[in-house]
Amino acid sequence: MNPIKISLIQTPWTGSRETMQAAYRVHIRQATQSGAQLICLQEFSLSPYFASVRESTGWDWAEPLEGGVTHQFLGGLAKEHGVYIIGSIFERENAHYWDTATLYNPGGDLHGFTRKVHIPSGEGYHEDHYFGGAAEYPLHEVLGVKIGIPTCYDQWFPELSRIYALRGADFLFYPTAIGSEPTAPGVDTRDAWQTVMRGQAIASGLFIAAANRVGVEGVTFYGSSFICAPDGLILAQGSRNRAQTISADLNPAALEEW
C-alpha cells in the first residue's frame, strides 16, 4: 500500500440535483486544495433518499452506470481537479436496478463500481422495493491502494469485510444513508454503527471509512462520517447534523504495524 490522503463529504439533500452539484463543487474544491487524492461521497450522492417511502417517483432517480448525470458530473470534477472520486447512484441496468458505488479516475472515466450486497427492508428504509442485492466483492486499485467500496447496510456484516481483507484490501469505504428508526424512535444506533465498523477494521486489519448523509428525509440522518485506522483509532470525525468535509492521511506504516 502507498500513502494516500482522503476526504469524505457529508451533506443534506438540498432540494435538487442542481443545488447538490453546486454544494459538491465547493466541498470538492476545498478537499483538493487540502491535498486530497481520493474524495468519497455519501450514498445516492446526487439524489434524495427516495427509499424512505414506496412511491412511483422513486424510479425517476435511476440512471445508467455510464453517461448519466452522476457520471458526467463527478467524472468531470475528477478530471478538472486531477483526483479520484467515489460516488453512489441508483443504477438502472436494462430491467435490473442496483444501489451502486461508482469510482471515477482523473481522466474522468468510470474506473470501477461495486453493487450493494445487503438490502434493508423496513419503515423508513424500503430499499428492497427498488433494487436487489449483488454478490460480488471487487477491489479497485487507486494510487497503489487496494480499495473495496461496499455500501451502507453492508457495514453491519463482518463476513463482508473479512472477504475483502482475504482478497487483499487495504481500505474499505462505505457510501452511507443511515439515521433514525421510525418504529423505535428512542433508539439511536450511531455509536453501534461506528463501533461495528471499528471492530471490523481491528479484526481484519483495514482502514475503514463511511460518509453518511445529514438532514431529514423521512428519517433523520445522523451524519458522523468518520475515518478509522486498522487499530480502530478514529483519524477524523464529522458532526451529526452539518454539511462538512473531513480528511485524513492513510499511512501504510499503520497497516503494516497492526
Side-chain angles (χ1 to χ4, degrees):
M1 173 185 170
N2 291 331
I4 188 171
K5 183 165 188 175
I6 68 168
S7 289
L8 275 53
I9 298 170
Q10 64 177 37
T11 181
W13 169 244
T14 55
S16 70
R17 277 187 164 155
E18 291 73 23
T19 56
M20 287 297 289
Q21 290 172 345
Y24 278 128
R25 285 190 186 96
V26 173
H27 284 286
I28 288 172
R29 186 183 310 113
Q30 291 172 344
T32 57
Q33 288 172 348
S34 75
Q37 300 158 284
L38 171 65
I39 301 170
C40 307
L41 313 184
Q42 62 206 22
E43 190 175 11
F44 302 133
S45 306
L46 284 181
S47 304
Y49 186 68
F50 55 86
S52 63
V53 293
R54 293 188 182 99
E55 289 185 353
S56 59
T57 55
W59 303 100
D60 296 341
W61 298 102
E63 57 183 298
L65 265 177
E66 297 187 85
V69 174
T70 302
H71 180 194
Q72 293 178 30
F73 176 66
L74 294 183
L77 283 179
K79 185 174 183 179
E80 177 184 345
H81 294 288
V83 296
Y84 289 84
I85 298 176
I86 296 175
S88 167
I89 65 170
F90 177 26
E91 182 197 347
R92 180 181 66 248
E93 182 203 28
N94 299 318
H96 299 284
Y97 292 83
W98 314 92
D99 183 346
T100 305
T102 52
L103 171 63
Y104 307 95
N105 63 32
D109 302 315
L110 182 69
H111 191 71
F113 65 93
T114 301
R115 291 166 174 151
K116 189 173 183 176
V117 176
H118 302 90
I119 311 302
S121 171
E123 288 302 314
Y125 303 93
H126 297 289
E127 296 187 14
D128 63 323
H129 178 70
Y130 294 98
F131 44 81
E136 298 175 341
Y137 310 90
L139 288 180
H140 313 283
E141 187 150 339
V142 171
L143 302 173
V145 181
K146 294 179 181 177
I147 299 174
I149 45 174
T151 294
C152 198
Y153 197 44
D154 290 335
Q155 296 152 342
W156 295 93
F157 299 87
E159 299 87 350
L160 182 141
S161 59
R162 192 64 172 167
I163 288 170
Y164 276 108
L166 292 170
R167 290 173 65 85
D170 303 309
F171 170 48
L172 294 187
F173 169 68
Y174 296 89
T176 301
I178 189 171
S180 59
E181 298 293 337
T183 58
V187 173
D188 182 355
T189 62
R190 198 281 301 265
D191 290 349
W193 167 78
Q194 188 175 87
T195 299
V196 76
M197 282 182 279
R198 291 176 66 194
Q200 291 175 53
I202 293 166
S204 289
L206 302 166
F207 289 97
I208 287 183
N212 189 24
R213 300 173 80 97
V214 295
V216 181
E217 300 177 67
V219 297
T220 301
F221 297 109
Y222 49 62
S224 306
S225 303
F226 74 98
I227 304 164
C228 80
D231 63 358
L233 177 69
I234 299 293
L235 303 176
Q237 171 79 65
S239 75
R240 289 186 70 112
N241 52 22
R242 290 188 292 111
Q244 195 173 11
T245 299
I246 63 172
S247 302
D249 294 298
L250 306 189
N251 186 342
L255 190 74
E256 293 160 7
E257 180 181 14
W258 189 249

